Amino acid sequence: MGILNAKDISYSYKSKYVTVNAVKGFSYEFDNGKIYAIVGKSGSGKTTLLSLLAGLDRPSSGTIEYAGQDLSKMNLDQYRRNNVSVVYQNFNLFSLLNVLENVSYPAELQGRSKTEALSLAKEYLEAVGLGETYWKRVPSMLSGGEQQRVAIARTLASGSSLILADEPTGNLDEENSRMIINMLLKLAHEYGKCVVVVTHDLEIADMADVILKMRDGELVENDL
């Protein structure tokens, strides 16, 4: 059994005039140690699907299971805190915290001591190529690529087994995009994480273990 299993999930919401069926009957089983690229045109349901997998929204029908447990029966705040990390296009770092504090924060939320959380933060910042000279800087003092590397270090420090990324290279130049792609691959293949990436970046899609294509809220094909 995979770490994350979506079973016939659908999600609908009402706009001012119509009901939007954003995800329709999506089923797939995601495994640790692989990177998945979810591709499709804007409005195809990719980001909505990612929100469902992250526990930020509940499906209108169908079930999502994490490690064999139905998310609808789990504490979603606890699920997101302990099991899931989301990497966003706009980095989502705390603007008033320095780099070290940004990375150590999730570990402290999980109940680790400040000393242990800071130790983890330093270890993983080094792992993404951000040494001590960066640790006291706030996000506004970093380039886009550096901020995204901080975000990835934060996912490592959190210990999450499920990494969800929404257009993680969308705001980056080619060089930094390639660096982030390589880090996402490392998360899957060396750290054994399940990495699911919503992307328009063809380079991510080409390097993914599995490509999932969505159209009008439905999974239309996948490449193994």
Side-chain angles (χ1 to χ4, degrees):
M1 178 182 290
I3 187 68
L4 190 69
N5 194 1
K7 299 180 178 180
D8 197 28
I9 60 172
S10 296
Y11 181 80
S12 302
Y13 63 91
K14 290 186 178 181
S15 68
K16 187 173 182 180
Y17 299 107
V18 298
T19 297
V20 177
N21 299 310
V23 176
K24 295 180 280 189
F26 181 94
S27 294
Y28 200 80
E29 190 171 299
F30 299 89
D31 294 314
N32 280 333
K34 290 185 178 181
I35 181 168
Y36 300 83
I38 300 177
V39 301
K41 294 181 179 179
S42 296
S44 61
K46 305 185 305 297
T47 296
T48 300
L49 175 64
L50 207 71
S51 292
L52 294 171
L53 298 179
L56 295 169
D57 290 301
R58 293 184 184 272
S60 306
S61 62
T63 59
I64 300 172
E65 294 180 354
Y66 174 82
Q69 291 185 278
D70 188 339
L71 289 195
S72 67
K73 299 175 182 176
M74 294 175 66
N75 181 313
L76 291 183
D77 288 335
Q78 193 172 53
Y79 167 69
R80 290 189 296 268
R81 186 184 308 122
N82 297 330
N83 306 116
V84 184
S85 288
V86 183
V87 179
Y88 294 95
Q89 179 176 347
N90 60 355
F91 321 124
N92 272 32
L93 301 177
F94 297 107
S95 61
L96 299 181
L97 299 184
N98 65 35
V99 165
L100 199 57
E101 292 165 337
N102 263 284
V103 177
S104 64
Y105 181 72
E108 289 187 65
L109 274 184
Q110 293 169 350
R112 297 179 188 268
S113 69
K114 189 173 185 66
T115 300
E116 185 181 6
L118 287 172
S119 178
L120 283 171
K122 292 173 182 178
E123 175 186 350
Y124 290 121
L125 282 165
E126 293 279 6
V128 299
L130 296 177
E132 190 172 353
T133 55
Y134 291 90
W135 296 351
K136 297 300 181 183
R137 301 182 191 182
V138 294
S140 61
M141 299 169 68
L142 304 176
S143 70
E146 288 164 351
Q147 289 188 61
Q148 198 62 291
R149 285 151 69 188
V150 173
I152 289 175
R154 184 171 60 184
T155 73
L156 287 167
S158 74
S160 301
S161 58
L162 179 61
I163 311 298
L164 306 177
D166 190 3
E167 299 287 0
T169 60
N171 285 331
L172 305 181
D173 59 28
E174 184 176 349
E175 181 181 355
N176 279 299
S177 292
R178 189 170 294 112
M179 186 182 302
I180 296 305
I181 292 167
N182 288 333
M183 288 181 183
L184 293 171
L185 287 166
K186 188 173 183 178
L187 285 173
H189 298 156
E190 295 185 28
Y191 288 90
K193 310 289 187 181
C194 175
V195 181
V196 183
V197 186
V198 163
T199 186
H200 287 99
D201 190 329
L202 294 179
E203 191 170 355
I204 292 181
D206 287 342
M207 297 179 74
D209 297 303
V210 180
I211 300 172
L212 302 174
K213 186 175 181 180
M214 294 190 71
R215 183 186 299 130
D216 297 329
E218 296 180 296
L219 177 62
V220 292
E221 63 184 66
N222 62 83
D223 299 326
L224 299 178

